[in-house]
Amino acid sequence: MSNHTGSYMLNEVIKSLKEIGIFNKLTRTDSRALLKAVFGVGYQYDCNPGEILEDIAEEFDVCYSCLTFDVPLRDGICQKCGRWESA
Ligand SMILES: [Zn+2]
Protein backbone atom coordinates (compact mmCIF):
# COMPACT_ATOMS: atom_id res chain seq x y z
CA MET A 1 0.00 0.00 0.00
CA SER A 2 1.63 3.23 -0.98
CA ASN A 3 1.24 6.68 0.46
CA HIS A 4 -0.83 8.42 -2.22
CA THR A 5 -1.44 11.56 -0.18
CA GLY A 6 2.28 11.98 0.44
CA SER A 7 3.05 11.33 -3.24
CA TYR A 8 0.64 13.99 -4.46
CA MET A 9 1.85 16.40 -1.80
CA LEU A 10 5.42 16.04 -3.13
CA ASN A 11 4.07 16.44 -6.67
CA GLU A 12 2.46 19.75 -5.63
CA VAL A 13 5.69 20.88 -3.95
CA ILE A 14 7.71 20.21 -7.12
CA LYS A 15 5.08 22.03 -9.22
CA SER A 16 5.19 25.00 -6.84
CA LEU A 17 9.00 25.14 -7.02
CA LYS A 18 8.72 25.02 -10.80
CA GLU A 19 6.08 27.78 -10.86
CA ILE A 20 8.25 30.20 -8.96
CA GLY A 21 11.15 29.42 -11.28
CA ILE A 22 13.48 27.63 -8.89
CA PHE A 23 14.60 25.15 -11.53
CA ASN A 24 15.55 27.97 -13.92
CA LYS A 25 17.93 29.34 -11.31
CA LEU A 26 19.62 26.03 -10.65
CA THR A 27 22.09 24.19 -12.82
CA ARG A 28 20.82 21.00 -14.41
CA THR A 29 22.92 19.01 -11.95
CA ASP A 30 21.49 20.87 -8.95
CA SER A 31 17.93 20.57 -10.26
CA ARG A 32 18.40 16.83 -10.49
CA ALA A 33 19.99 16.69 -7.05
CA LEU A 34 16.91 18.47 -5.68
CA LEU A 35 14.59 16.03 -7.45
CA LYS A 36 16.61 13.07 -6.20
CA ALA A 37 16.36 14.43 -2.67
CA VAL A 38 12.57 14.64 -3.10
CA PHE A 39 12.49 11.06 -4.45
CA GLY A 40 14.53 10.04 -1.41
CA VAL A 41 11.98 11.58 0.96
CA GLY A 42 9.22 9.91 -1.02
CA TYR A 43 10.94 6.56 -0.69
CA GLN A 44 11.21 6.93 3.09
CA TYR A 45 7.50 7.68 3.33
CA ASP A 46 6.39 4.90 0.99
CA CYS A 47 5.39 7.30 -1.79
CA ASN A 48 4.84 6.31 -5.40
CA PRO A 49 7.32 7.85 -7.89
CA GLY A 50 4.70 7.79 -10.65
CA GLU A 51 2.45 10.01 -8.55
CA ILE A 52 5.31 12.25 -7.43
CA LEU A 53 6.12 12.83 -11.12
CA GLU A 54 2.56 12.96 -12.42
CA ASP A 55 2.34 15.45 -15.31
CA ILE A 56 5.96 16.54 -14.88
CA ALA A 57 8.17 13.49 -15.64
CA GLU A 58 8.79 14.49 -19.26
CA GLU A 59 9.66 18.04 -18.31
CA PHE A 60 12.49 16.79 -16.15
CA ASP A 61 13.54 14.04 -18.59
CA VAL A 62 13.13 11.34 -15.98
CA CYS A 63 11.29 8.03 -16.20
CA TYR A 64 8.64 7.95 -13.48
CA SER A 65 9.16 4.23 -12.95
CA CYS A 66 12.93 3.66 -12.72
CA LEU A 67 13.84 7.35 -12.10
CA THR A 68 16.50 7.24 -14.84
CA PHE A 69 17.31 10.59 -16.42
CA ASP A 70 17.91 11.27 -20.11
CA VAL A 71 16.15 8.28 -21.60
CA PRO A 72 13.50 8.59 -24.32
CA LEU A 73 10.06 8.75 -22.67
CA ARG A 74 6.54 8.08 -23.77
CA ASP A 75 3.88 9.38 -21.39
CA GLY A 76 6.57 9.78 -18.75
CA ILE A 77 7.87 6.23 -18.89
CA CYS A 78 10.99 4.83 -20.59
CA GLN A 79 10.96 2.10 -23.18
CA LYS A 80 12.33 -0.54 -20.82
CA CYS A 81 9.73 0.12 -18.08
CA GLY A 82 6.82 0.82 -20.40
CA ARG A 83 7.72 -1.94 -22.85
CA TRP A 84 6.73 0.30 -25.74
CA GLU A 85 8.13 -0.16 -29.24
CA SER A 86 10.33 2.59 -30.61
CA ALA A 87 8.99 4.13 -33.79
ZN1 LIG B 1 12.16 3.51 -16.72
Coordinates of all heavy atoms in Angstrom, one line a residue:
M1 N 0.9 -1.2 0.0 CA 0.0 0.0 0.0 C 0.9 1.2 0.0 O 1.8 1.4 0.9 CB -0.9 0.0 1.3 CG -2.0 1.0 1.3 SD -3.2 0.6 -0.1 CE -4.1 2.1 -0.1
S2 N 0.7 2.1 -1.0 CA 1.6 3.2 -1.0 C 0.9 4.5 -0.5 O -0.3 4.5 -0.4 CB 2.3 3.4 -2.3 OG 1.4 3.9 -3.3
N3 N 1.7 5.4 -0.2 CA 1.2 6.7 0.5 C 0.8 7.7 -0.6 O 1.6 8.5 -1.0 CB 2.4 7.2 1.3 CG 2.1 8.5 2.0 OD1 1.0 9.1 1.8 ND2 3.0 8.9 2.9
H4 N -0.4 7.6 -1.1 CA -0.8 8.4 -2.2 C -0.9 9.9 -1.8 O -0.5 10.8 -2.6 CB -2.2 8.0 -2.7 CG -2.2 6.5 -3.2 ND1 -1.5 6.1 -4.3 CD2 -2.8 5.4 -2.7 CE1 -1.7 4.8 -4.5 NE2 -2.4 4.4 -3.5
T5 N -1.3 10.2 -0.6 CA -1.4 11.6 -0.2 C -0.1 12.2 -0.2 O 0.1 13.3 -0.7 CB -2.1 11.6 1.2 OG1 -3.3 10.9 1.2 CG2 -2.3 13.1 1.7
G6 N 0.9 11.5 0.4 CA 2.3 12.0 0.4 C 2.8 12.2 -1.0 O 3.5 13.2 -1.2
S7 N 2.6 11.2 -1.9 CA 3.1 11.3 -3.2 C 2.5 12.6 -3.9 O 3.3 13.3 -4.5 CB 2.6 10.1 -4.1 OG 3.0 8.9 -3.5
Y8 N 1.2 12.8 -3.8 CA 0.6 14.0 -4.5 C 1.1 15.3 -3.8 O 1.2 16.3 -4.4 CB -0.9 13.9 -4.6 CG -1.3 12.9 -5.6 CD1 -1.9 11.7 -5.3 CD2 -0.9 13.1 -7.0 CE1 -2.2 10.8 -6.3 CE2 -1.3 12.2 -8.0 CZ -1.9 11.0 -7.6 OH -2.2 10.1 -8.6
M9 N 1.3 15.2 -2.5 CA 1.9 16.4 -1.8 C 3.2 16.8 -2.4 O 3.5 17.9 -2.7 CB 2.0 16.1 -0.3 CG 2.3 17.4 0.5 SD 2.5 17.0 2.2 CE 4.1 16.3 2.2
L10 N 4.1 15.8 -2.5 CA 5.4 16.0 -3.1 C 5.3 16.5 -4.6 O 6.0 17.4 -5.0 CB 6.3 14.8 -3.1 CG 6.7 14.4 -1.6 CD1 7.5 13.1 -1.7 CD2 7.6 15.5 -1.0
N11 N 4.3 16.0 -5.3 CA 4.1 16.4 -6.7 C 3.7 17.9 -6.7 O 4.2 18.7 -7.5 CB 2.9 15.6 -7.3 CG 2.6 16.0 -8.7 OD1 1.7 16.8 -8.9 ND2 3.2 15.5 -9.7
E12 N 2.9 18.3 -5.7 CA 2.5 19.7 -5.6 C 3.7 20.6 -5.2 O 3.8 21.7 -5.7 CB 1.4 19.9 -4.6 CG 0.0 19.3 -5.0 CD -0.6 20.0 -6.2 OE1 -0.5 21.2 -6.4 OE2 -1.3 19.3 -7.0
V13 N 4.5 20.1 -4.4 CA 5.7 20.9 -3.9 C 6.6 21.1 -5.2 O 7.0 22.2 -5.4 CB 6.5 20.2 -2.8 CG1 7.8 20.8 -2.6 CG2 5.6 20.2 -1.5
I14 N 6.9 20.1 -5.9 CA 7.7 20.2 -7.1 C 7.1 21.2 -8.1 O 7.8 22.1 -8.7 CB 8.0 18.9 -7.8 CG1 8.8 17.9 -6.9 CG2 8.7 19.1 -9.1 CD1 8.9 16.5 -7.4
K15 N 5.8 21.1 -8.3 CA 5.1 22.0 -9.2 C 5.2 23.5 -8.7 O 5.4 24.4 -9.5 CB 3.6 21.6 -9.4 CG 3.4 20.4 -10.3 CD 2.0 20.0 -10.4 CE 1.8 18.8 -11.3 NZ 0.4 18.3 -11.3
S16 N 5.1 23.7 -7.4 CA 5.2 25.0 -6.8 C 6.6 25.5 -7.0 O 6.8 26.7 -7.4 CB 4.9 25.0 -5.3 OG 3.6 24.6 -5.1
L17 N 7.6 24.7 -6.8 CA 9.0 25.1 -7.0 C 9.2 25.5 -8.5 O 9.9 26.5 -8.8 CB 10.0 24.0 -6.6 CG 10.1 23.7 -5.2 CD1 10.9 22.4 -5.0 CD2 10.6 24.8 -4.4
K18 N 8.6 24.7 -9.4 CA 8.7 25.0 -10.8 C 8.0 26.4 -11.1 O 8.6 27.2 -11.9 CB 8.1 23.9 -11.6 CG 8.3 23.9 -13.0 CD 7.8 22.6 -13.7 CE 6.3 22.7 -13.9 NZ 5.8 23.4 -15.1
E19 N 6.9 26.6 -10.6 CA 6.1 27.8 -10.9 C 6.8 29.0 -10.5 O 6.7 30.1 -11.2 CB 4.8 27.7 -10.1 CG 3.6 27.4 -11.0 CD 2.3 27.3 -10.1 OE1 2.0 28.2 -9.4 OE2 1.7 26.2 -10.3
I20 N 7.5 29.0 -9.4 CA 8.3 30.2 -9.0 C 9.6 30.3 -9.6 O 10.4 31.2 -9.3 CB 8.3 30.4 -7.4 CG1 9.1 29.2 -6.8 CG2 7.0 30.5 -6.8 CD1 9.4 29.4 -5.3
G21 N 9.9 29.3 -10.5 CA 11.2 29.4 -11.3 C 12.4 28.9 -10.6 O 13.5 29.2 -11.1
I22 N 12.3 28.1 -9.6 CA 13.5 27.6 -8.9 C 14.4 26.8 -9.8 O 15.6 27.0 -9.9 CB 13.1 26.7 -7.7 CG1 12.4 27.5 -6.6 CG2 14.3 25.9 -7.2 CD1 13.4 28.5 -5.9
F23 N 13.8 26.0 -10.7 CA 14.6 25.1 -11.5 C 15.3 25.9 -12.6 O 16.4 25.5 -13.1 CB 13.7 24.0 -12.1 CG 13.2 23.1 -11.1 CD1 11.9 23.1 -10.6 CD2 14.1 22.2 -10.5 CE1 11.5 22.2 -9.7 CE2 13.7 21.3 -9.5 CZ 12.3 21.3 -9.1
N24 N 14.8 27.1 -13.0 CA 15.5 28.0 -13.9 C 16.8 28.6 -13.3 O 17.7 29.0 -14.0 CB 14.6 29.1 -14.4 CG 13.4 28.5 -15.2 OD1 13.5 27.4 -15.7 ND2 12.3 29.2 -15.1
K25 N 16.8 28.7 -12.0 CA 17.9 29.3 -11.3 C 19.0 28.3 -10.9 O 20.1 28.7 -10.6 CB 17.4 30.0 -10.0 CG 16.5 31.2 -10.3 CD 16.1 31.9 -9.1 CE 15.1 33.0 -9.6 NZ 14.6 33.8 -8.5
L26 N 18.7 27.1 -11.0 CA 19.6 26.0 -10.6 C 20.3 25.5 -11.9 O 19.7 25.5 -13.0 CB 18.9 24.9 -9.9 CG 18.2 25.2 -8.6 CD1 17.5 24.0 -8.1 CD2 19.3 25.7 -7.6
T27 N 21.5 24.9 -11.7 CA 22.1 24.2 -12.8 C 21.3 22.9 -13.0 O 20.5 22.5 -12.1 CB 23.6 23.8 -12.5 OG1 23.6 22.9 -11.4 CG2 24.4 25.0 -12.2
R28 N 21.5 22.3 -14.1 CA 20.8 21.0 -14.4 C 21.2 20.0 -13.3 O 20.3 19.2 -12.8 CB 21.3 20.5 -15.8 CG 20.5 19.4 -16.4 CD 21.1 19.3 -17.8 NE 20.6 18.0 -18.5 CZ 19.5 17.9 -19.1 NH1 18.6 18.9 -19.2 NH2 19.2 16.8 -19.7
T29 N 22.4 19.9 -13.0 CA 22.9 19.0 -11.9 C 22.2 19.3 -10.6 O 21.8 18.3 -9.9 CB 24.5 19.1 -11.8 OG1 25.1 19.0 -13.0 CG2 25.0 18.1 -10.8
D30 N 22.1 20.5 -10.2 CA 21.5 20.9 -9.0 C 20.0 20.6 -9.0 O 19.4 20.2 -8.0 CB 21.8 22.3 -8.6 CG 23.2 22.5 -8.1 OD1 23.9 21.6 -7.8 OD2 23.6 23.7 -8.1
S31 N 19.4 20.9 -10.1 CA 17.9 20.6 -10.3 C 17.7 19.1 -10.0 O 16.8 18.7 -9.3 CB 17.4 20.9 -11.7 OG 17.4 22.3 -11.9
R32 N 18.6 18.3 -10.6 CA 18.4 16.8 -10.5 C 18.7 16.4 -9.1 O 18.1 15.5 -8.6 CB 19.3 16.1 -11.5 CG 18.7 16.3 -12.9 CD 19.5 15.7 -14.0 NE 18.7 15.9 -15.2 CZ 19.0 15.2 -16.3 NH1 20.0 14.4 -16.4 NH2 18.3 15.4 -17.4
A33 N 19.7 17.0 -8.4 CA 20.0 16.7 -7.0 C 18.8 17.0 -6.2 O 18.4 16.2 -5.3 CB 21.2 17.5 -6.6
L34 N 18.1 18.1 -6.4 CA 16.9 18.5 -5.7 C 15.8 17.4 -5.9 O 15.2 16.9 -4.9 CB 16.4 19.9 -6.1 CG 15.1 20.4 -5.4 CD1 15.2 20.3 -3.9 CD2 14.8 21.8 -5.9
L35 N 15.6 17.1 -7.2 CA 14.6 16.0 -7.5 C 14.9 14.7 -6.8 O 14.1 14.1 -6.2 CB 14.5 15.8 -9.0 CG 13.7 16.9 -9.7 CD1 13.7 16.5 -11.2 CD2 12.3 17.0 -9.3
K36 N 16.2 14.3 -6.8 CA 16.6 13.1 -6.2 C 16.4 13.1 -4.7 O 16.0 12.1 -4.1 CB 18.1 12.8 -6.5 CG 18.3 12.3 -7.9 CD 19.8 12.0 -8.2 CE 20.0 11.7 -9.7 NZ 21.4 11.6 -10.0
A37 N 16.6 14.3 -4.1 CA 16.4 14.4 -2.7 C 14.9 14.2 -2.4 O 14.5 13.6 -1.4 CB 16.8 15.8 -2.2
V38 N 14.0 14.8 -3.3 CA 12.6 14.6 -3.1 C 12.2 13.2 -3.3 O 11.4 12.6 -2.5 CB 11.8 15.5 -4.1 CG1 10.3 15.2 -4.0 CG2 12.0 17.0 -3.8
F39 N 12.8 12.5 -4.3 CA 12.5 11.1 -4.4 C 12.9 10.3 -3.2 O 12.2 9.3 -2.8 CB 13.2 10.5 -5.6 CG 12.9 11.1 -7.0 CD1 13.9 11.1 -8.0 CD2 11.7 11.7 -7.2 CE1 13.6 11.7 -9.2 CE2 11.4 12.2 -8.4 CZ 12.4 12.2 -9.4
G40 N 14.0 10.7 -2.6 CA 14.5 10.0 -1.4 C 13.5 10.2 -0.2 O 13.3 9.2 0.5
V41 N 13.0 11.4 -0.1 CA 12.0 11.6 1.0 C 10.8 10.7 0.7 O 10.2 10.0 1.5 CB 11.6 13.1 1.0 CG1 10.4 13.3 2.0 CG2 12.8 13.9 1.5
G42 N 10.4 10.7 -0.6 CA 9.2 9.9 -1.0 C 9.4 8.4 -0.7 O 8.5 7.8 -0.2
Y43 N 10.6 8.0 -1.0 CA 10.9 6.6 -0.7 C 10.8 6.2 0.8 O 10.2 5.2 1.2 CB 12.4 6.2 -1.2 CG 12.8 4.8 -1.0 CD1 12.3 3.8 -1.8 CD2 13.6 4.4 0.1 CE1 12.7 2.5 -1.6 CE2 14.0 3.1 0.3 CZ 13.5 2.1 -0.6 OH 13.8 0.8 -0.4
Q44 N 11.3 7.1 1.6 CA 11.2 6.9 3.1 C 9.8 6.9 3.6 O 9.5 6.2 4.6 CB 11.9 8.1 3.8 CG 13.4 8.0 3.8 CD 14.0 9.3 4.5 OE1 13.5 9.7 5.5 NE2 15.0 9.9 3.8
Y45 N 8.9 7.6 2.9 CA 7.5 7.7 3.3 C 6.6 6.8 2.5 O 5.4 7.1 2.4 CB 7.0 9.1 3.4 CG 7.7 9.9 4.5 CD1 8.9 10.5 4.4 CD2 7.0 9.9 5.8 CE1 9.5 11.1 5.5 CE2 7.6 10.6 6.9 CZ 8.9 11.2 6.7 OH 9.5 11.8 7.7
D46 N 7.2 5.9 1.8 CA 6.4 4.9 1.0 C 5.5 5.6 -0.1 O 4.4 5.2 -0.3 CB 5.5 4.1 1.9 CG 4.9 2.9 1.2 OD1 5.5 2.3 0.3 OD2 3.8 2.4 1.6
C47 N 6.1 6.6 -0.7 CA 5.4 7.3 -1.8 C 5.6 6.6 -3.1 O 6.5 5.8 -3.3 CB 5.8 8.7 -1.9 SG 5.4 9.7 -0.4
N48 N 4.8 6.9 -4.1 CA 4.8 6.3 -5.4 C 5.5 7.3 -6.4 O 4.9 8.4 -6.6 CB 3.4 6.0 -5.7 CG 3.2 5.5 -7.1 OD1 3.9 5.9 -8.1 ND2 2.2 4.6 -7.3
P49 N 6.6 6.9 -7.0 CA 7.3 7.8 -7.9 C 6.5 8.3 -9.1 O 6.6 9.4 -9.5 CB 8.5 7.1 -8.4 CG 8.6 5.9 -7.5 CD 7.3 5.6 -6.9
G50 N 5.6 7.4 -9.5 CA 4.7 7.8 -10.6 C 3.8 8.9 -10.3 O 3.5 9.8 -11.1
E51 N 3.3 8.9 -9.0 CA 2.4 10.0 -8.5 C 3.3 11.3 -8.2 O 2.8 12.4 -8.5 CB 1.7 9.5 -7.3 CG 0.7 8.5 -7.7 CD 0.1 7.7 -6.5 OE1 0.5 7.9 -5.3 OE2 -0.9 7.0 -6.7
I52 N 4.5 11.1 -7.7 CA 5.3 12.3 -7.4 C 5.6 13.0 -8.7 O 5.6 14.2 -8.8 CB 6.7 11.8 -6.8 CG1 6.4 11.2 -5.4 CG2 7.6 13.0 -6.7 CD1 7.7 10.6 -4.8
L53 N 5.8 12.2 -9.8 CA 6.1 12.8 -11.1 C 4.9 13.0 -12.1 O 5.1 13.3 -13.2 CB 7.2 12.0 -11.8 CG 8.6 12.1 -11.2 CD1 9.5 11.0 -11.7 CD2 9.2 13.5 -11.5
E54 N 3.7 12.8 -11.6 CA 2.6 13.0 -12.4 C 2.5 14.3 -13.1 O 2.7 15.4 -12.5 CB 1.3 12.8 -11.6 CG 0.1 12.6 -12.5 CD -1.1 12.0 -11.8 OE1 -1.1 10.8 -11.4 OE2 -2.0 12.8 -11.5
D55 N 2.4 14.3 -14.4 CA 2.3 15.5 -15.3 C 3.7 16.2 -15.5 O 3.7 17.1 -16.2 CB 1.3 16.5 -14.8 CG -0.1 15.9 -14.7 OD1 -0.4 15.0 -15.5 OD2 -0.8 16.4 -13.8
I56 N 4.7 15.8 -14.8 CA 6.0 16.5 -14.9 C 7.2 15.7 -15.2 O 8.3 16.2 -15.4 CB 6.3 17.3 -13.6 CG1 6.2 16.4 -12.3 CG2 5.3 18.5 -13.4 CD1 6.5 17.1 -11.0
A57 N 7.0 14.4 -15.4 CA 8.2 13.5 -15.6 C 8.9 13.9 -16.9 O 10.1 14.0 -16.9 CB 7.7 12.0 -15.8
E58 N 8.2 14.2 -18.0 CA 8.8 14.5 -19.3 C 9.5 15.8 -19.2 O 10.6 16.0 -19.8 CB 7.8 14.5 -20.4 CG 7.1 13.1 -20.4 CD 6.6 12.7 -21.8 OE1 7.0 13.3 -22.8 OE2 5.9 11.6 -21.9
E59 N 9.0 16.7 -18.4 CA 9.7 18.0 -18.3 C 11.1 17.9 -17.7 O 12.0 18.7 -18.0 CB 8.8 18.9 -17.3 CG 8.3 20.1 -18.0 CD 7.3 20.7 -17.0 OE1 6.1 20.3 -17.0 OE2 7.7 21.7 -16.3
F60 N 11.2 17.0 -16.8 CA 12.5 16.8 -16.1 C 13.3 15.7 -16.8 O 14.3 15.3 -16.3 CB 12.3 16.5 -14.6 CG 11.7 17.7 -13.9 CD1 10.4 17.8 -13.5 CD2 12.6 18.8 -13.6 CE1 9.9 18.9 -12.8 CE2 12.1 19.9 -13.0 CZ 10.8 20.0 -12.5
D61 N 12.8 15.1 -17.9 CA 13.5 14.0 -18.6 C 13.9 12.9 -17.7 O 15.0 12.4 -17.7 CB 14.9 14.6 -19.2 CG 14.6 15.4 -20.4 OD1 13.7 15.1 -21.2 OD2 15.4 16.4 -20.6
V62 N 12.9 12.5 -16.9 CA 13.1 11.3 -16.0 C 12.0 10.4 -16.1 O 10.8 10.8 -16.1 CB 13.4 11.8 -14.5 CG1 12.2 12.6 -14.0 CG2 13.7 10.7 -13.6
C63 N 12.3 9.1 -16.1 CA 11.3 8.0 -16.2 C 10.6 7.9 -14.8 O 11.3 7.8 -13.8 CB 11.9 6.7 -16.6 SG 10.8 5.3 -16.4
Y64 N 9.3 8.0 -14.8 CA 8.6 8.0 -13.5 C 8.7 6.6 -12.8 O 8.4 6.4 -11.6 CB 7.2 8.5 -13.6 CG 6.2 7.5 -14.2 CD1 5.8 6.4 -13.6 CD2 5.6 7.8 -15.4 CE1 4.8 5.5 -14.2 CE2 4.7 7.0 -16.1 CZ 4.3 5.9 -15.4 OH 3.4 5.0 -16.0
S65 N 9.1 5.6 -13.5 CA 9.2 4.2 -13.0 C 10.5 3.9 -12.4 O 10.7 3.6 -11.2 CB 8.8 3.2 -14.0 OG 8.9 1.9 -13.5
C66 N 11.6 4.0 -13.2 CA 12.9 3.7 -12.7 C 13.7 4.9 -12.3 O 14.8 4.7 -11.8 CB 13.7 2.9 -13.8 SG 14.0 3.8 -15.3
L67 N 13.2 6.1 -12.5 CA 13.8 7.3 -12.1 C 15.2 7.6 -12.8 O 16.1 8.2 -12.3 CB 14.0 7.4 -10.6 CG 12.7 7.3 -9.8 CD1 13.0 7.4 -8.3 CD2 11.7 8.4 -10.2
T68 N 15.3 7.0 -14.0 CA 16.5 7.2 -14.8 C 16.3 8.5 -15.6 O 15.2 8.7 -16.2 CB 16.7 6.1 -15.8 OG1 16.8 4.9 -15.0 CG2 18.0 6.2 -16.7
F69 N 17.4 9.4 -15.6 CA 17.3 10.6 -16.4 C 17.8 10.4 -17.8 O 18.6 9.4 -18.1 CB 18.2 11.7 -15.8 CG 17.6 12.2 -14.5 CD1 18.0 11.7 -13.3 CD2 16.7 13.3 -14.5 CE1 17.5 12.2 -12.1 CE2 16.2 13.8 -13.4 CZ 16.6 13.3 -12.1
D70 N 17.4 11.2 -18.7 CA 17.9 11.3 -20.1 C 17.7 10.0 -20.9 O 18.5 9.6 -21.7 CB 19.4 11.6 -20.1 CG 19.7 13.0 -19.6 OD1 18.9 13.9 -19.8 OD2 20.7 13.1 -18.9
V71 N 16.5 9.4 -20.7 CA 16.1 8.3 -21.6 C 14.9 8.7 -22.4 O 14.1 9.5 -21.9 CB 15.8 7.0 -20.8 CG1 17.1 6.4 -20.3 CG2 14.9 7.3 -19.6
P72 N 14.7 8.2 -23.6 CA 13.5 8.6 -24.3 C 12.3 8.2 -23.5 O 12.2 7.0 -23.0 CB 13.6 7.8 -25.6 CG 15.0 7.4 -25.8 CD 15.6 7.3 -24.4
L73 N 11.3 9.0 -23.4 CA 10.1 8.7 -22.7 C 8.8 8.8 -23.6 O 8.8 9.5 -24.5 CB 9.9 9.8 -21.6 CG 11.0 9.9 -20.5 CD1 10.7 11.1 -19.6 CD2 11.2 8.7 -19.7
R74 N 7.9 8.0 -23.2 CA 6.5 8.1 -23.8 C 5.6 8.1 -22.6 O 5.5 7.2 -21.8 CB 6.3 6.9 -24.7 CG 5.0 7.0 -25.5 CD 4.9 5.8 -26.4 NE 5.8 5.9 -27.6 CZ 6.0 4.9 -28.4 NH1 5.3 3.8 -28.4 NH2 6.9 5.1 -29.4
D75 N 4.8 9.2 -22.5 CA 3.9 9.4 -21.4 C 4.6 9.2 -20.0 O 4.1 8.7 -19.1 CB 2.7 8.4 -21.4 CG 1.8 8.7 -22.7 OD1 1.7 9.9 -23.1 OD2 1.3 7.7 -23.2
G76 N 5.8 9.7 -20.0 CA 6.6 9.8 -18.8 C 7.3 8.5 -18.4 O 7.9 8.4 -17.3
I77 N 7.2 7.5 -19.3 CA 7.9 6.2 -18.9 C 8.8 5.8 -20.0 O 8.6 6.0 -21.2 CB 6.8 5.2 -18.6 CG1 7.4 4.0 -17.9 CG2 6.1 4.7 -19.9 CD1 6.4 3.1 -17.2
C78 N 10.0 5.2 -19.6 CA 11.0 4.8 -20.6 C 10.6 3.5 -21.3 O 9.6 2.8 -20.9 CB 12.4 4.7 -19.9 SG 12.6 3.2 -19.0
Q79 N 11.3 3.3 -22.3 CA 11.0 2.1 -23.2 C 11.1 0.8 -22.4 O 10.2 -0.1 -22.5 CB 11.9 2.1 -24.4 CG 11.5 1.0 -25.4 CD 12.3 1.1 -26.7 OE1 13.3 1.9 -26.7 NE2 11.9 0.5 -27.7
K80 N 12.1 0.7 -21.6 CA 12.3 -0.5 -20.8 C 11.2 -0.8 -19.8 O 10.6 -1.9 -19.7 CB 13.7 -0.4 -20.1 CG 14.2 -1.7 -19.5 CD 15.5 -1.5 -18.9 CE 15.4 -1.8 -17.4 NZ 16.5 -1.2 -16.6
C81 N 10.8 0.3 -19.1 CA 9.7 0.1 -18.1 C 8.4 0.0 -18.7 O 7.5 -0.7 -18.2 CB 9.8 1.3 -17.1 SG 11.3 1.4 -16.2
G82 N 8.1 0.8 -19.8 CA 6.8 0.8 -20.4 C 6.6 -0.3 -21.5 O 5.5 -0.5 -21.9
R83 N 7.7 -0.9 -21.8 CA 7.7 -1.9 -22.9 C 7.0 -1.5 -24.1 O 6.3 -2.2 -24.8 CB 7.0 -3.2 -22.3 CG 7.7 -3.8 -21.2 CD 7.2 -5.2 -20.9 NE 7.9 -5.9 -19.9 CZ 7.5 -5.9 -18.6 NH1 6.4 -5.4 -18.2 NH2 8.3 -6.5 -17.7
W84 N 7.3 -0.2 -24.5 CA 6.7 0.3 -25.7 C 7.7 0.1 -26.9 O 8.9 0.0 -26.6 CB 6.2 1.7 -25.7 CG 7.1 2.7 -25.0 CD1 7.1 3.1 -23.6 CD2 8.2 3.5 -25.5 NE1 8.1 4.0 -23.4 CE2 8.8 4.3 -24.5 CE3 8.7 3.6 -26.8 CZ2 9.8 5.2 -24.7 CZ3 9.8 4.5 -27.1 CH2 10.3 5.3 -26.0
E85 N 7.3 0.0 -28.1 CA 8.1 -0.2 -29.2 C 8.6 1.2 -29.7 O 7.8 2.1 -29.8 CB 7.3 -0.8 -30.4 CG 6.8 -2.2 -30.0 CD 7.9 -3.2 -29.8 OE1 8.9 -3.3 -30.5 OE2 7.7 -4.0 -28.8
S86 N 9.9 1.3 -30.1 CA 10.3 2.6 -30.6 C 9.9 2.7 -32.1 O 9.8 1.7 -32.8 CB 11.8 2.7 -30.5 OG 12.5 1.6 -31.1
A87 N 9.5 3.9 -32.5 CA 9.0 4.1 -33.8 C 10.1 4.0 -34.9 O 11.2 4.3 -34.6 CB 8.3 5.5 -33.9
Ligands
ZN1 ZN 12.2 3.5 -16.7

